[in-house]
Amino acid sequence: MAAPQQQKLKVHGPVAVTANRLTDGVVVWRTPDQGWSVDLNDAAVVTTAPEAIALLAAAQQSDIEAVGAYVAPVVLDDGQVLPGNLRERIRVAGPTFELPR
């Protein structure tokens, strides 16, 4: 796998970096202060490929807290940050079916 700085990343609108928390697998979002949050509205949102690559590189160096970091599209709507595609909507909302008890 190529280093984040070497990846050809195309950014067509706002994006954020997401991963899964190592301790329990919960979806987390990279924050502007280089932390992680379970709230998408806390995410650092960028709009250019160089910004996204830098955010991703910093997130991947923090693999003790979260793993599998990648750049995901988001939508900005009246001050809210919303998932930008179906995959992220499912990751934010949870499974699309009821889990057995």
Side-chain angles (χ1 to χ4, degrees):
M1 178 178 202
Q5 300 85 347
Q6 297 170 335
Q7 294 176 359
K8 297 221 186 260
L9 183 63
K10 295 179 184 172
V11 173
H12 303 287
V15 297
V17 169
T18 185
N20 292 90
R21 193 165 49 199
L22 190 58
T23 57
D24 57 10
V26 169
V27 174
V28 290
W29 301 88
R30 193 69 171 173
T31 62
D33 64 358
Q34 303 300 307
W36 294 99
S37 175
V38 296
D39 187 348
L40 177 54
N41 283 297
D42 293 338
V45 177
V46 297
T47 57
T48 68
E51 290 173 314
I53 289 169
L55 193 61
L56 180 60
Q60 289 178 332
Q61 289 177 358
S62 173
D63 65 354
I64 292 175
E65 301 165 3
V67 294
Y70 65 92
V71 175
V74 295
V75 175
L76 302 176
D77 183 27
D78 286 333
Q80 294 251 4
V81 182
L82 304 171
N85 61 20
L86 179 60
R87 176 187 174 141
E88 300 316 318
R89 285 195 298 271
I90 292 170
R91 290 182 77 236
V92 167
T96 58
F97 58 91
E98 187 173 337
L99 296 172
R101 296 176 192 213

